[in-house]
Amino acid sequence: MAEIAENPSGGGKGKAKKQSTKVDLTAMVDLAFLLITFFMLTTTISKPKAMQIALPSEPDPSVEQPKVDDDVVMTVLLAPKNVVLYYFGKPEDAASNPDAVKATTFDKTNGIRKAIIDKKKAVQALGAPLGIDKKGNNKTLVLIKAVDSSVYGNMVDILDEMHIADIKFYAIVDISAPEKQLVDNAMLKAK
Amino acid sequence: MPKIHIKKGSVSLDMTAMCDVAFLLLTFFVLTAKAKPQEPVEVMTPSSIVELPVPDINIITILIDKPGRVFIGMDNADNSRALWLDGMTSQFNLKLDAKSKSDFINGGVLPVGIKDLPKYLSSDATTKKDLVTKTEGIAVDTSNAPSNELKDWIMNARRANSKASVVVKADAKAPYAVIRKVMKTLQNQGVDRFSLLTTMGAKD
């Protein structure tokens, strides 16, 4: 197989001798597999995915903002080192009562996910109109606030948790000074 | 005991089928392969569970690397990069020669800010590399003042291509402070909706 049969010398009276038509393909196959390997390794199979995000536009001062009931509000504070703090209700109450602020992580079973789902269930239990709006949506409102020293990955993680827990209302808000203090205290305590 | 005779046979195989398969696969990979868009810095995007694909054209990409440097790029749909450059050069009173312009139009994400742009476009490959490692990226803050250079890039990009949507591609370890500034700038520019680029990963 590895040879191309040559014409026998002399050649007779126009009587074509049968030749082997086999060509050695080994080198070609080698090359083909080499190229396959190259293209396989350079192709990115998973295309990047996009997470849609909508920021609130600047509020119009002439229009009165709708009031939100404190019972449905949960505030999540993103701290450095993958620590997450959360509290329910008004920020003033949380600042005056340090026990109201709990620290947790992005753990899959016992982390922030459990806290969000528990809060959602509690709001659901309030029933309409307090906990459920006219369209039947759960009214839980999660406010996401991150300190400057936290990382972007954590923000994506918490947005992911919103998708997982199917929270309809959430917003990324600027952090306030008392809340920054809360984060600092929590980080000190962790040390 | 009789001796076992191993028959000496030909070791060559028929490779035709194997060759066919190899080239079939090769064709597949060649056709599906897409040139990776050139980016000045390496960015490891965080993973998420969302499954929305990113459009290929009409996107403004804002790149944020691990130390928090910001870069911007746009695809060249409808020749928008030329318009974009014209907008920027007239705003900053820059004069660029034809070669620099075509360099810019054929480029991807910009590795430098406006200050270093003429120098970058007119220099050779090694100087370019050097500039990229030293660059501080595009200046960004939360204001509408001239100190916020990203604002001008976004404004001119949106003027050049009104259909363009904004995609933020940031490193998972990028500091939130920079992300906040970029988001605020986008918000000030009236870009309330944008996408965050993530890789797909299972979370459960």
Side-chain angles (χ1 to χ4, degrees), chain A residues 1-2 22-37 39-58 78 108 113 144-161 163-164 172-175, chain B residues 10 12-19 21-23 25-26 29-30 32-34 36 45-56 167-180 183-184 186-188 191-204:
Chain A
M1 180 179 164
K22 282 185 178 171
V23 177
D24 186 8
L25 295 177
T26 321
M28 190 153 133
V29 174
D30 283 354
L31 187 73
F33 274 105
L34 186 80
L35 288 172
I36 288 178
T37 320
F39 279 103
M40 259 173 81
L41 294 180
T42 50
T43 320
T44 41
I45 293 161
S46 63
K47 276 195 83 179
K49 304 289 169 189
M51 179 183 264
Q52 292 285 330
I53 175 166
L55 295 176
S57 26
E58 290 295 311
L78 301 181
K108 279 163 191 153
R113 185 178 303 172
I144 300 162
K145 305 182 183 187
V147 291
D148 281 356
S149 46
S150 65
V151 294
Y152 166 72
N154 283 359
M155 186 184 105
V156 171
D157 285 342
I158 196 76
L159 291 175
D160 239 11
E161 296 296 338
H163 287 283
I164 291 167
I172 300 171
V173 200
D174 282 343
I175 195 161
Chain B
S10 161
S12 65
L13 294 166
D14 187 9
M15 298 240 178
T16 324
M18 186 153 137
C19 195
V21 173
F23 273 99
L25 286 172
L26 182 60
F29 281 109
V30 170
T32 52
K34 230 174 79 185
K36 224 176 163 187
T45 50
S47 64
S48 80
I49 57 155
V50 291
E51 289 176 8
L52 284 166
V54 192
D56 286 330
V167 172
V168 176
K169 183 177 181 184
D171 195 287
K173 297 217 166 68
Y176 177 75
V178 179
I179 311 287
R180 183 171 58 79
M183 288 202 302
K184 190 80 188 161
L186 285 170
Q187 216 175 347
N188 288 342
V191 187
D192 291 335
R193 286 170 182 278
F194 51 89
S195 319
L196 304 176
L197 209 79
T198 56
T199 45
M200 206 166 59
K203 278 280 162 88
D204 296 81

Side-chain angles (χ1 to χ4, degrees), chain B residues 88-118:
Chain B
M88 285 307 283
T89 45
S90 63
Q91 188 180 340
F92 286 89
N93 286 321
L94 290 177
K95 291 269 179 295
L96 293 175
D97 55 32
K99 196 197 150 285
S100 300
K101 274 188 183 167
S102 77
D103 253 23
F104 178 89
I105 290 161
N106 296 323
V109 173
L110 284 184
V112 288
I114 192 80
K115 185 165 57 78
D116 289 332
L117 188 67

Side-chain angles (χ1 to χ4, degrees), chain B residues 24-191:
Chain B
L24 186 80
L25 286 172
L26 182 60
T27 319
F28 170 76
F29 281 109
V30 170
L31 293 181
T32 52
K34 230 174 79 185
K36 224 176 163 187
Q38 42 168 317
E39 275 168 3
V41 285
E42 201 186 346
V43 167
M44 297 286 288
T45 50
S47 64
S48 80
I49 57 155
V50 291
E51 289 176 8
L52 284 166
V54 192
D56 286 330
I57 56 161
N58 292 326
I59 54 168
I60 300 169
T61 313
I62 297 176
L63 207 67
I64 302 166
D65 72 350
K66 203 171 156 187
R69 297 184 298 177
V70 180
F71 304 96
I72 193 166
M74 182 166 64
D75 66 294
N76 199 16
D78 305 328
N79 210 17
S80 48
R81 277 183 82 96
L83 284 171
W84 190 27
L85 182 64
D86 284 347
M88 285 307 283
T89 45
S90 63
Q91 188 180 340
F92 286 89
N93 286 321
L94 290 177
K95 291 269 179 295
L96 293 175
D97 55 32
K99 196 197 150 285
S100 300
K101 274 188 183 167
S102 77
D103 253 23
F104 178 89
I105 290 161
N106 296 323
V109 173
L110 284 184
V112 288
I114 192 80
K115 185 165 57 78
D116 289 332
L117 188 67
K119 197 170 147 206
Y120 173 78
L121 289 175
S122 57
S123 54
D124 57 66
T126 43
T127 327
K128 273 183 180 169
K129 250 188 198 156
D130 196 41
L131 270 175
V132 171
T133 47
K134 272 193 289 190
T135 182
E136 310 211 315
I138 294 170
V140 60
D141 54 41
T142 54
S143 72
N144 267 331
S147 59
N148 189 353
E149 192 189 311
L150 184 69
K151 166 205 71 169
D152 301 316
W153 284 108
I154 294 170
M155 194 171 65
N156 282 301
R158 293 196 352 125
R159 272 191 200 143
N161 186 353
S162 53
K163 283 179 289 183
S165 54
V166 176
V167 172
V168 176
K169 183 177 181 184
D171 195 287
K173 297 217 166 68
Y176 177 75
V178 179
I179 311 287
R180 183 171 58 79
K181 287 176 192 161
V182 170
M183 288 202 302
K184 190 80 188 161
T185 307
L186 285 170
Q187 216 175 347
N188 288 342
Q189 289 294 309
V191 187

